[in-house]
Amino acid sequence: MDLSFGKEYEEFRREVSRFVEENKDRQPAIGPHSLDTVTWQKKLIENGYAARTIPRKYGGFGAEPDIIKSRIISEEFGRVQMNSGLGGQGISMLTPVLLDMGTEEQKQQFIKPTIHGEMVWCQGYSEPGAGSDLASLTTRAELDGDEWVINGQKIWTSSAHVADWIFCLVRTEPDAPKHQGISFLLFRMDTPGIEVRPLVDMTMTASFNEVFFTDVRVPKDQIVGRRGEGWQVANAILGFERGSLATPDAAHSRLNGLIELMQQETINGEKIIQNPQFRERLMKIQGRVMAMGYNDMRLFSARINGNKDTRLAGMIVKLQGTELRHELEGLAIDIMGEIGLSYNQNPYLRGGGSWQRHYMYYLGLIIGGGTNQIQKNIISERGLGMPREPKAESKQE
């Protein structure tokens, strides 16, 4: 039985492998948005390794979807933990929604600068009283002539302190049912009336923020979809968000880094990779990473072939992916023993402290982007068709 991909794909693998070998020592470190990472992003797009299927007229590479080529890119980049380019809310979440639901003018204005790293976005969704029940949001927008006037507050707003633009859910029809009175607006973060206050998270960095809006005026045409129908746009965004929070490609790359660490660290002169208990834990994680990768291929194949019945397969990505990454990073910390407890500027840090940082980060993502407990309810009800949990009847006085 011949399980090879064939001549075309083997040549493509050699092409990707050459790029990796020629550039692995030139790539910027995976980290904050910078001139180096923007330059790298543009290089990846030019070669078809980022924004691969986004049309050229919107700044992408313009290739036809191909599940095998996408897998080859992932494998070759993951082999050396190659920087696979910029991500974030604008690239991973807003861009695919604009491609599906935006006007031609919005596509022309926003997609190219976003995927090229020239326009950084944040997401205005959660509020102090609207987290898991997002549709309860109270930030309001009232139409005053040709402008929306926005007042309210958002919280847990990642990257708001560095973002150029925000895509924001606001209530425009206060008397409508809560899912039907919401609109989806786009506006600049330097608009007068916006205040950003940083929040320090478990990684000891201030990547979250509170954002306050006081009479913020936004042109009325900066809306995606129809007025009062922003919940449909919001749901589309949430689907892309849950799929981007713990991608199989990133897990595969991280797994390779874990294997390298196990080949370097020792106990009593013996490499950790030879320890049967640690090796068993590694193999369990490796099997889950492979399963997530195959599920990702299934989802990609379904999108290519127009199969919409992938709700259950898509729902498990965030749930399984975040828990998998938390466990993977935790194994790395255990492997390092007491060194695994080091943090910040400790001279004994391995990998620049990335193992400890990601361990805490993915613990946060188990909660963020919709808690995994809520995600289990969604999977059971919408994916498996199980009945909703009955609500207790309110007592009448």
Side-chain angles (χ1 to χ4, degrees), residues 10-34:
E10 293 307 320
E11 176 55 36
F12 182 75
R13 184 181 294 277
R14 286 191 288 271
E15 174 189 318
V16 179
S17 180
R18 282 194 299 269
F19 178 87
V20 168
E21 293 303 318
E22 291 171 1
N23 291 278
K24 64 182 181 182
D25 296 326
R26 305 174 187 174
Q27 62 173 319
I30 300 173
H33 200 95
S34 66

CSV table of all heavy atoms in Angstrom, one decimal, residues 10-34:
chain,number,residue,atom,x,y,z
A,10,GLU,N,5.5,15.9,-2.6
A,10,GLU,CA,6.9,15.7,-2.2
A,10,GLU,C,7.8,16.8,-2.6
A,10,GLU,O,8.6,17.3,-1.9
A,10,GLU,CB,7.4,14.3,-2.7
A,10,GLU,CG,6.7,13.1,-2.1
A,10,GLU,CD,6.7,13.1,-0.6
A,10,GLU,OE1,7.7,13.5,0.0
A,10,GLU,OE2,5.7,12.8,0.0
A,11,GLU,N,7.5,17.3,-3.8
A,11,GLU,CA,8.3,18.5,-4.3
A,11,GLU,C,7.9,19.7,-3.5
A,11,GLU,O,8.8,20.6,-3.1
A,11,GLU,CB,8.0,18.8,-5.8
A,11,GLU,CG,8.6,20.0,-6.3
A,11,GLU,CD,10.2,20.1,-6.1
A,11,GLU,OE1,10.8,19.0,-6.2
A,11,GLU,OE2,10.7,21.2,-5.9
A,12,PHE,N,6.7,19.9,-3.1
A,12,PHE,CA,6.2,21.0,-2.3
A,12,PHE,C,6.9,20.9,-0.9
A,12,PHE,O,7.3,21.9,-0.4
A,12,PHE,CB,4.7,21.0,-2.1
A,12,PHE,CG,4.2,22.2,-1.3
A,12,PHE,CD1,4.2,23.4,-1.9
A,12,PHE,CD2,3.8,22.0,0.0
A,12,PHE,CE1,3.7,24.5,-1.1
A,12,PHE,CE2,3.3,23.0,0.7
A,12,PHE,CZ,3.3,24.3,0.2
A,13,ARG,N,7.0,19.7,-0.4
A,13,ARG,CA,7.7,19.5,0.9
A,13,ARG,C,9.1,19.9,0.8
A,13,ARG,O,9.7,20.6,1.8
A,13,ARG,CB,7.5,18.1,1.4
A,13,ARG,CG,8.2,17.9,2.8
A,13,ARG,CD,8.1,16.4,3.3
A,13,ARG,NE,6.7,16.0,3.5
A,13,ARG,CZ,6.0,16.2,4.6
A,13,ARG,NH1,6.6,16.9,5.6
A,13,ARG,NH2,4.8,15.8,4.7
A,14,ARG,N,9.8,19.6,-0.2
A,14,ARG,CA,11.2,20.0,-0.4
A,14,ARG,C,11.3,21.5,-0.5
A,14,ARG,O,12.2,22.1,0.1
A,14,ARG,CB,11.8,19.3,-1.6
A,14,ARG,CG,12.1,17.8,-1.5
A,14,ARG,CD,12.9,17.3,-2.6
A,14,ARG,NE,12.1,17.2,-3.9
A,14,ARG,CZ,11.4,16.2,-4.2
A,14,ARG,NH1,11.4,15.1,-3.4
A,14,ARG,NH2,10.8,16.1,-5.4
A,15,GLU,N,10.3,22.1,-1.1
A,15,GLU,CA,10.3,23.6,-1.3
A,15,GLU,C,10.2,24.3,0.1
A,15,GLU,O,10.9,25.2,0.5
A,15,GLU,CB,9.2,24.0,-2.2
A,15,GLU,CG,8.9,25.5,-2.3
A,15,GLU,CD,7.7,25.8,-3.0
A,15,GLU,OE1,7.4,25.2,-4.0
A,15,GLU,OE2,6.9,26.7,-2.6
A,16,VAL,N,9.2,23.8,0.9
A,16,VAL,CA,9.0,24.3,2.2
A,16,VAL,C,10.2,24.0,3.1
A,16,VAL,O,10.7,24.9,3.9
A,16,VAL,CB,7.8,23.7,2.9
A,16,VAL,CG1,7.6,24.3,4.3
A,16,VAL,CG2,6.5,24.0,2.0
A,17,SER,N,10.8,22.8,3.0
A,17,SER,CA,12.0,22.5,3.8
A,17,SER,C,13.1,23.4,3.5
A,17,SER,O,13.9,23.8,4.4
A,17,SER,CB,12.3,21.0,3.6
A,17,SER,OG,13.5,20.6,4.3
A,18,ARG,N,13.3,23.7,2.2
A,18,ARG,CA,14.4,24.6,1.9
A,18,ARG,C,14.2,26.0,2.5
A,18,ARG,O,15.2,26.6,3.0
A,18,ARG,CB,14.5,24.8,0.3
A,18,ARG,CG,15.2,23.6,-0.4
A,18,ARG,CD,15.5,24.0,-1.8
A,18,ARG,NE,14.3,24.3,-2.6
A,18,ARG,CZ,13.6,23.4,-3.3
A,18,ARG,NH1,14.0,22.1,-3.3
A,18,ARG,NH2,12.6,23.8,-4.0
A,19,PHE,N,13.0,26.5,2.5
A,19,PHE,CA,12.7,27.8,3.1
A,19,PHE,C,13.0,27.8,4.6
A,19,PHE,O,13.6,28.7,5.1
A,19,PHE,CB,11.2,28.2,2.9
A,19,PHE,CG,10.8,29.4,3.5
A,19,PHE,CD1,11.0,30.6,2.8
A,19,PHE,CD2,10.3,29.5,4.8
A,19,PHE,CE1,10.6,31.8,3.4
A,19,PHE,CE2,9.9,30.7,5.4
A,19,PHE,CZ,10.1,31.9,4.7
A,20,VAL,N,12.6,26.7,5.2
A,20,VAL,CA,12.8,26.5,6.7
A,20,VAL,C,14.3,26.5,7.0
A,20,VAL,O,14.8,27.3,7.9
A,20,VAL,CB,12.2,25.3,7.2
A,20,VAL,CG1,12.6,25.0,8.6
A,20,VAL,CG2,10.6,25.4,7.2
A,21,GLU,N,15.1,25.7,6.2
A,21,GLU,CA,16.5,25.6,6.5
A,21,GLU,C,17.3,27.0,6.2
A,21,GLU,O,18.2,27.3,6.9
A,21,GLU,CB,17.1,24.5,5.7
A,21,GLU,CG,16.7,23.1,6.0
A,21,GLU,CD,16.9,22.8,7.5
A,21,GLU,OE1,18.0,23.1,8.0
A,21,GLU,OE2,16.0,22.2,8.2
A,22,GLU,N,16.8,27.7,5.2
A,22,GLU,CA,17.5,28.9,4.8
A,22,GLU,C,17.1,30.1,5.8
A,22,GLU,O,17.9,31.0,5.9
A,22,GLU,CB,17.1,29.3,3.4
A,22,GLU,CG,17.7,28.4,2.3
A,22,GLU,CD,17.1,28.7,0.9
A,22,GLU,OE1,16.2,29.6,0.8
A,22,GLU,OE2,17.5,28.0,0.0
A,23,ASN,N,16.0,29.9,6.5
A,23,ASN,CA,15.5,31.1,7.3
A,23,ASN,C,15.4,30.8,8.7
A,23,ASN,O,15.1,31.7,9.5
A,23,ASN,CB,14.1,31.5,6.7
A,23,ASN,CG,14.2,32.2,5.3
A,23,ASN,OD1,14.5,33.3,5.2
A,23,ASN,ND2,13.9,31.4,4.3
A,24,LYS,N,15.6,29.6,9.2
A,24,LYS,CA,15.4,29.3,10.6
A,24,LYS,C,16.4,30.1,11.5
A,24,LYS,O,16.0,30.4,12.7
A,24,LYS,CB,15.6,27.8,10.9
A,24,LYS,CG,17.0,27.3,10.6
A,24,LYS,CD,17.0,25.7,10.9
A,24,LYS,CE,18.4,25.2,10.6
A,24,LYS,NZ,18.4,23.7,10.9
A,25,ASP,N,17.5,30.5,11.0
A,25,ASP,CA,18.4,31.3,11.8
A,25,ASP,C,18.2,32.8,11.6
A,25,ASP,O,18.9,33.6,12.2
A,25,ASP,CB,19.9,31.0,11.5
A,25,ASP,CG,20.2,29.5,11.9
A,25,ASP,OD1,19.7,29.0,12.9
A,25,ASP,OD2,21.0,28.9,11.2
A,26,ARG,N,17.3,33.2,10.7
A,26,ARG,CA,17.0,34.6,10.5
A,26,ARG,C,15.6,35.0,11.0
A,26,ARG,O,15.3,36.2,11.1
A,26,ARG,CB,17.0,34.8,8.9
A,26,ARG,CG,18.3,34.4,8.2
A,26,ARG,CD,18.1,34.6,6.7
A,26,ARG,NE,19.2,34.0,6.0
A,26,ARG,CZ,19.3,33.9,4.7
A,26,ARG,NH1,18.2,34.3,3.9
A,26,ARG,NH2,20.3,33.4,4.1
A,27,GLN,N,14.8,34.1,11.4
A,27,GLN,CA,13.5,34.4,11.9
A,27,GLN,C,13.5,35.1,13.2
A,27,GLN,O,14.4,34.9,14.0
A,27,GLN,CB,12.7,33.1,12.1
A,27,GLN,CG,13.3,32.2,13.1
A,27,GLN,CD,12.4,31.0,13.4
A,27,GLN,OE1,11.2,31.1,13.5
A,27,GLN,NE2,13.1,29.8,13.6
A,28,PRO,N,12.6,36.0,13.4
A,28,PRO,CA,12.5,36.7,14.7
A,28,PRO,C,11.9,35.8,15.8
A,28,PRO,O,11.2,34.8,15.4
A,28,PRO,CB,11.5,37.9,14.4
A,28,PRO,CG,10.6,37.4,13.3
A,28,PRO,CD,11.5,36.5,12.5
A,29,ALA,N,12.2,36.1,17.0
A,29,ALA,CA,11.7,35.3,18.1
A,29,ALA,C,10.2,35.5,18.1
A,29,ALA,O,9.6,36.5,17.8
A,29,ALA,CB,12.3,35.8,19.4
A,30,ILE,N,9.5,34.4,18.5
A,30,ILE,CA,8.0,34.5,18.7
A,30,ILE,C,7.7,35.3,19.9
A,30,ILE,O,8.2,35.0,21.0
A,30,ILE,CB,7.4,33.1,18.9
A,30,ILE,CG1,7.7,32.2,17.6
A,30,ILE,CG2,5.9,33.1,19.1
A,30,ILE,CD1,7.3,30.8,17.7
A,31,GLY,N,7.1,36.4,19.7
A,31,GLY,CA,6.9,37.3,20.8
A,31,GLY,C,6.0,38.5,20.4
A,31,GLY,O,5.2,38.4,19.5
A,32,PRO,N,6.2,39.7,21.1
A,32,PRO,CA,5.4,40.8,20.9
A,32,PRO,C,5.5,41.4,19.4
A,32,PRO,O,6.5,41.2,18.7
A,32,PRO,CB,5.9,41.9,21.9
A,32,PRO,CG,6.7,41.1,22.9
A,32,PRO,CD,7.2,39.9,22.2
A,33,HIS,N,4.5,42.1,19.0
A,33,HIS,CA,4.4,42.7,17.7
A,33,HIS,C,5.5,43.7,17.6
A,33,HIS,O,5.7,44.5,18.5
A,33,HIS,CB,3.0,43.4,17.6
A,33,HIS,CG,2.6,43.8,16.2
A,33,HIS,ND1,1.8,43.0,15.5
A,33,HIS,CD2,2.9,44.8,15.4
A,33,HIS,CE1,1.6,43.5,14.3
A,33,HIS,NE2,2.3,44.6,14.3
A,34,SER,N,6.3,43.6,16.5
A,34,SER,CA,7.5,44.5,16.3
A,34,SER,C,7.7,44.7,14.9
A,34,SER,O,7.1,44.0,14.0
A,34,SER,CB,8.7,44.0,17.0
A,34,SER,OG,9.1,42.7,16.4
